[in-house]
Every structure is written in C-alpha cells, then in structure tokens.
C-alpha cells in the first residue's frame, strides 16, 4: 500500500508540474500578443522598437524576478543546489516560471503606454526596479499574506481581498504604473495642435488584431492555470473568462461604433476585469462584468485622449488600470451568493484592496520613473522622436525599401 501511495503522490506531483508548466507557456505566449498589439497600434517608424522592448523587458524581468522579486513576494530563493531544486519534479521552479510571466506582464503593459518616445535603456532600468521590488511588494501582500494586510482585512471586513488571477495585482498595478510614466513623459510631438487631438492612425490593423487574438487565447492559461494544481482546476473559470471576453467584445463594438481598435481591445477589457472573480462568479455575472469593462474602456480611452490630453498610446491605463480596478470591485459584487456567485467575498475588502493596489502602483511608478527622469532622462530627443525609435535606437526600419 505504501508503494501505491508513493506512486500516486509521484504521479500527482508530476501532473501538477506539467499543469503549471503549460500555464506558464500559455502566458509566455501572451507576450507575443503584447508585442503585436503594440506593433499594430504604433506608427510604422516605431514598430521595431515595440518588438524589441517586449522581448528585452521579458529578459530583464526574468533576472529581476529570479534573483530578487520572487524572494520579496514569497520569501524563497533558488540558490540551493540542483538536487534540492528538483524536489517534487521541480514544481517550485515551474511555479516561479508561471508567476514570472505575470510579473513580466507589468513592463509589457507599461510599454504600450509610453510607446514612440521613451528611451530604451532607461525603460529597461525601470523594468528591473518594478519587477524586482515594486510589483512583488503588492503581489506578496495579496497572494502570500505578507505584512498582515490580508489578515487585517479579514478581521475588518470579514474576508480577505480576493484576486484569483490578478485583475488588480497584475493589470491595475501595471496600468497605474503606466499612467505615472505617461504623465512624466508627456505627450508625443504633434499629438495636440491648438488644444485639439491630431489622429495618429494605427499602422497595421491585422497585426493589432493578431496581438488581441494571441492575448485572448493565452488568457485562458492566465486565468484557468492560476489554480496552480490539477485538483484545484475549475471549468467555471474557463467559462467565466469566455463570457467576459464576449461581453467586452460586443459592448466595445457597440460603444465604439464598429471601430476595429475598440472591437479588438474589447475582449481584452473583459478578460482584464474577470480575472479577480473568475473562480467565484456566475457566467451571467461575468458577461455583465465584461460588458461594463468594454464600455468603460471605450469611454475612458476617448476621454483620456480628447478631454484629459493624456497621450497613452495603447490606452493601457483605461484597459488595464481602470478595467482592472473595476474587476477587483466587481468580484465583491458578482461573487456574492445573492447574485449567483460562490460567496466568501466582501465588497468592503475588495474596495480597500483595489485602492491599496492603485495607490502603491501609482506612487511607486512616480518614484521609479521620476527618479530615472531626474537622473538620466527617460525621453527621446525631439529629433530622435521625429525620426522614429526604430532608426534612432535600433538603426533599422521595420520594412526594407528593397
């Protein structure tokens, strides 16, 4: 019997390692989505830079999270010998890989906001600081119970802050850091003339659509595999993600009057919002959450560009920052048993947790980008920006003339 029990345990350990590895690969693939969404949105003279930023940010993020960030969040490092690290089929290593892809999403989100005028190496420095210190600070508070924040919320509000797959921990944090960076950078040259918006049309709608599709498919790894073990997997998460994606798509189509940029960001808005409560909401509730996010994105993106004159190129603050915050709050509403959810959530806790994430992200973003701006500068020169980041930084066009 002991041999049978040992064999079953070994099988489960291997299965769990494979499960979370597949999730890590799916979320890693989402970074291609971030890249092509940005490539399709920016002007052609900045396409090479968009591609280069996403992959180099991933490299810097991996090192920052491996050597510093993971320990800040979870109190564990990987400096033991390989024999120790391979315990349980190396599950802890693959868990790091999975959570690293979440951490690396932060600079990928920021990249879309600061596109077309940010310097290359200062952004990589910002990535290192964010992924090694700023992001893991809040991640550890929510997902590892650090600093007693979740325990305090449970005593005060009756439940801890619930964020199953990162509406706030990943998306809102990334979006509000991006807002700080965008504000400090200022708008692109020629974006506003006499107080009026000058349209900079997306360079490639097919690439933009490809990026949206890659992100949407990978998101099912982002959400479903957040269970982290096979015995915790739930089909509810998958169907809730689907319903929110559909709700966001159709709502953005209607609110955005068939604009393809809004149509392809709509599903992403819905998926951002459903992350937090995808494991506890009813599918009908998820549809509503996604639809609200789709409309919220269209309205706030338009207001950001036209009324508030914040030049957020891909609209990452509306998409991730605001729809992520809506998702954190929505989990406390639609996760309740009164609206068909599984319960165990407190709207008060969701509000406090969401505001805490926003505060830490925005203030932290101002500190990181403010310090880099003061010390070495974060913006291309006017001539470099006019020429385009591709030639100014990488010395090559996206498409050869020959």
């Amino acid at each position: 019997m002991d041999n049978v029990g040992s064999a079953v345990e070994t099988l489960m350990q291997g299965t769990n390692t494979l499960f979370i590895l597949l999730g890590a690969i799916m979320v890693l693939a989402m970074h291609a989505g971030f890249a092509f969404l940005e490539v399709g949105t920016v002007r052609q003279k900045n396409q090479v830079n968009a591609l280069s930023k996403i992959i180099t940010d991933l490299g810097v993020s991996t090192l920052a999270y491996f050597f510093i960030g993971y320990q800040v969040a979870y109190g564990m490092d990987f400096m033991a010998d390989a024999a120790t690290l391979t315990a349980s089929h190396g599950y802890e290593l693959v868990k790091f890989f999975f959570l690293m892809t979440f951490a690396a999403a932060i600079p990928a989100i920021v990249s879309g906001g600061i596109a077309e005028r940010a310097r290359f190496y200062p952004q990589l420095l910002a990535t290192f600081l964010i992924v090694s210190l700023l992001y893991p600070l809040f991640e550890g508070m929510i997902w590892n119970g650090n600093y007693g924040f979740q325990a305090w919320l449970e005593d005060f509000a009756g439940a801890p802050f619930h964020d199953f797959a990162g509406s706030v921990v990943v998306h809102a944090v990334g979006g509000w850091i991006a807002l700080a960076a965008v504000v400090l950078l200022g708008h692109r040259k020629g974006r506003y003339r006499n107080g009026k918006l000058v349209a900079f049309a997306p360079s490639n709608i097919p690439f933009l659509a490809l990026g949206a599709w890659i992100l949407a498919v990978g998101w099912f790894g982002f959400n479903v595999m957040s269970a982290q073990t096979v015995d915790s997997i739930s089909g509810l998460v998958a169907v809730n993600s689907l319903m929110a994606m559909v709700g966001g798509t159709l709502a953005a189509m209607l609110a955005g009057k068939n604009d393809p940029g809004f149509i392809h960001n709509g599903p992403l808005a819905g998926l951002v919002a459903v992350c937090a409560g995808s494991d506890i909401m009813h599918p009908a509730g998820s549809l509503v959450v996604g639809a609200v996010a789709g409309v919220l994105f269209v309205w706030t993106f338009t207001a950001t560009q036209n009324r508030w004159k914040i030049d957020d190129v891909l609209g990452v603050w509306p998409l991730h920052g605001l729809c992520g915050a809506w998702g954190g709050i929505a989990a406390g509403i639609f996760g309740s048993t009164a609206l068909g959810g599984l319960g165990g959530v407190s709207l008060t806790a969701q509000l406090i947790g969401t505001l805490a994430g926003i505060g830490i992200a925005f203030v932290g973003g101002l500190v990181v980008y403010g310090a880099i701006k003061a010390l070495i500068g974060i913006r291309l020169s006017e001539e470099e920006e006019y020429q385009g980041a591709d030639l100014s930084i990488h010395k090559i066009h996206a498409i050869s003339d020959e």
Side-chain angles (χ1 to χ4, degrees):
M1 290 296 292
D2 288 344
N3 290 338
V4 172
S6 177
V8 170
E9 183 179 356
T10 299
L11 178 62
M12 282 303 300
Q13 288 173 348
T15 303
N16 285 334
T17 300
L18 178 61
F19 174 75
I20 200 169
L21 173 61
L22 292 174
I25 292 168
M26 289 182 72
V27 184
L28 178 64
M30 290 176 71
H31 289 265
F34 282 119
F36 279 97
L37 191 71
E38 185 172 337
V39 166
T41 305
V42 299
R43 290 169 291 177
Q44 190 171 316
K45 63 183 180 179
N46 297 295
Q47 289 180 328
V48 172
N49 182 243
L51 293 168
S52 301
K53 281 190 299 178
I54 299 298
I55 197 165
T56 51
D57 274 337
L58 177 70
V60 171
S61 295
T62 301
L63 297 181
Y65 201 63
F66 184 84
F67 288 106
I68 303 172
Y70 196 77
Q71 186 169 3
V72 171
Y74 300 102
M76 177 182 177
D77 64 52
F78 299 102
M79 294 301 104
D81 57 66
T84 303
L85 296 177
T86 53
S88 301
H89 295 270
Y91 176 80
E92 286 297 332
L93 285 172
V94 180
K95 181 181 175 182
F96 151 78
F97 181 11
F98 180 65
L99 291 171
M100 180 281 297
T101 59
F102 281 54
I106 303 294
I109 290 167
V110 174
S111 175
I114 64 175
E116 301 202 329
R117 73 270 202 210
R119 293 176 62 203
F120 190 64
Y121 287 108
Q123 170 54 21
L124 291 180
L125 174 58
T127 291
F128 185 85
L129 295 173
I130 289 165
V131 177
S132 62
L133 299 171
L134 179 54
Y135 168 73
L137 171 68
F138 188 66
E139 178 192 18
M141 286 171 58
I142 304 305
W143 285 344
N144 198 48
N146 295 354
Y147 314 114
F149 180 71
Q150 289 284 45
W152 171 77
L153 270 182
E154 192 162 6
D155 288 339
F156 178 75
F161 178 63
H162 187 91
D163 191 357
F164 180 69
S167 284
V168 176
V169 172
V170 177
H171 296 288
V173 165
W176 285 86
I177 291 173
L179 176 63
V182 167
V183 169
L184 287 168
L185 265 174
H187 57 74
R188 290 167 287 176
K189 296 297 181 184
R191 184 59 166 158
Y192 299 98
R193 290 178 189 162
N194 301 319
K196 292 185 178 180
L197 178 71
V198 176
F200 287 177
S203 59
N204 194 310
I205 295 296
F207 275 167
L208 187 158
L210 175 65
W213 270 109
I214 294 171
L215 282 166
V217 172
W219 224 295
F220 288 85
F222 195 98
N223 284 2
V224 176
M225 267 75 164
S226 285
Q228 298 190 17
T229 56
V230 172
D231 60 334
S232 299
I233 193 172
S234 172
L236 181 67
V237 177
V239 174
N240 279 343
S241 300
L242 176 65
M243 296 300 279
M245 172 185 164
V246 169
T249 303
L250 298 180
M253 175 193 71
L254 294 172
K257 301 177 182 178
N258 304 329
D259 181 282
F262 287 139
I263 287 173
H264 286 93
N265 277 282
L268 310 183
L271 286 162
V272 165
V274 82
C275 288
S278 57
D279 62 326
I280 57 172
M281 295 191 295
H282 188 277
S286 295
L287 179 65
V288 174
V289 169
V292 171
V295 174
L296 178 65
F297 171 71
V298 171
W299 186 85
T300 53
F301 178 84
T302 304
T304 298
Q305 302 291 333
N306 291 280
R307 188 181 309 168
W308 303 328
K309 295 181 173 53
I310 299 171
D311 191 14
D312 179 348
V313 180
L314 268 67
V316 297
W317 177 58
L319 181 67
H320 298 274
L322 296 180
C323 291
W326 158 239
I329 296 165
I333 301 170
F334 292 92
S336 65
T337 54
L339 291 177
L342 296 179
V345 287
S346 159
L347 181 56
T348 301
Q350 295 306 113
L351 285 165
I352 294 172
T354 299
L355 289 173
I358 289 171
I360 289 171
F362 188 64
V363 173
L366 288 175
V367 170
V368 169
Y369 282 95
I372 293 173
K373 180 179 180 178
L375 294 173
I376 59 175
I378 56 174
R379 180 158 183 159
L380 294 174
S381 70
E382 191 168 340
E383 181 182 351
E384 289 170 331
E385 186 181 339
Y386 176 79
Q387 191 176 31
D390 292 358
L391 278 182
S392 299
I393 298 172
H394 308 286
K395 314 303 180 188
I396 194 168
H397 286 295
I399 300 172
S400 173
D401 295 330
E402 298 180 2

